[in-house]
Amino acid sequence: MKRWLTGLALVSSFSVAQAAELKVNDPAPNFTLKTHEGKDFELKSRAGQWTVLYFYPKDDTPGCTKQACAFRDNIKKIRAQSAEVYGISADTVEKHASFHKSQRLNFALLADPEAKIIEQYGAKMPAANMSNRWTFIVNPELKIAAIDKDVDPVVDSEKIADQIAALKKK
């Protein structure tokens, strides 16, 4: 059974394993990436707010499309927890723009075509320029609050708002 590792308490279903060297309570590595709109996004701009970083393999593939659409459909519940969602893959800005438009997404996609940030978060697939499907919750102090390395693309977004609510109670 999976478990969420969140600070000191085990809640819901995030894994206990750490992502590469990142673990719960570590500072979230800062980065700057381009959004699907070609604008710069820097993680440190999220200080004071909850942030969900979901890493996924590739735009327009069945599992990744299901996951993105699930986040789209559950975004109000997540935003009700004062959190914002960012999807990260090694796709280009142009590919993200097309995927964002075709799926009518309502959150930002971040392009990491060289997979530098994907690797920094430990999510890079061995021998491939693609990400594993992992989700990180970053707290308002920009520390890793939870890591999920066993993501079900259909239900990942449904768990996030409840997980953030539980983390806020600490």
Side-chain angles (χ1 to χ4, degrees):
M1 172 185 256
K2 296 186 320 178
R3 300 221 186 270
W4 282 80
L5 181 63
T6 57
L8 301 174
L10 247 21
V11 184
S12 192
S13 62
F14 260 67
S15 73
V16 175
Q18 63 188 34
E21 302 216 5
L22 288 179
K23 56 189 176 300
V24 170
N25 293 323
D26 281 352
N30 188 43
F31 61 84
T32 301
L33 290 173
K34 295 284 186 192
T35 70
H36 65 279
E37 297 174 319
K39 298 176 182 175
D40 284 340
F41 168 84
E42 188 171 11
L43 182 61
K44 74 178 183 180
S45 71
R46 298 288 306 157
Q49 302 164 80
W50 288 88
T51 304
V52 177
L53 301 175
Y54 87 90
F55 292 82
Y56 65 99
K58 192 169 177 60
D59 291 342
D60 288 317
T61 57
C64 297
T65 300
K66 287 177 186 174
Q67 186 176 21
C69 291
F71 272 111
R72 177 198 65 205
D73 297 344
N74 287 300
I75 199 72
K76 287 182 183 177
K77 186 177 176 188
I78 295 167
R79 287 182 177 152
Q81 292 297 325
S82 301
E84 192 55 62
V85 173
Y86 297 88
I88 303 173
S89 79
D91 289 300
T92 64
V93 169
E94 296 77 18
K95 183 75 171 138
H96 275 341
S98 174
F99 183 58
H100 193 275
K101 182 177 180 181
S102 70
Q103 300 305 319
R104 299 177 325 276
L105 301 180
N106 49 11
F107 57 89
L109 298 177
L110 305 177
D112 187 13
E114 295 177 16
K116 290 181 179 178
I117 306 312
I118 293 167
E119 190 165 357
Q120 190 175 13
Y121 275 75
K124 189 172 182 296
M125 287 185 186
N129 195 42
M130 294 173 62
S131 175
N132 286 301
R133 191 180 313 280
W134 292 359
T135 302
F136 293 78
I137 298 175
V138 179
N139 71 20
E141 292 77 36
L142 299 180
K143 290 187 177 184
I144 305 290
I147 303 167
D148 188 355
K149 293 173 59 174
D150 188 19
V151 173
D152 179 328
V154 176
V155 299
D156 187 34
S157 67
E158 295 174 13
K159 300 183 303 184
I160 296 296
D162 292 338
Q163 181 61 19
I164 293 170
L167 288 163
K168 285 179 170 183
K169 292 179 180 176
K170 291 184 168 195

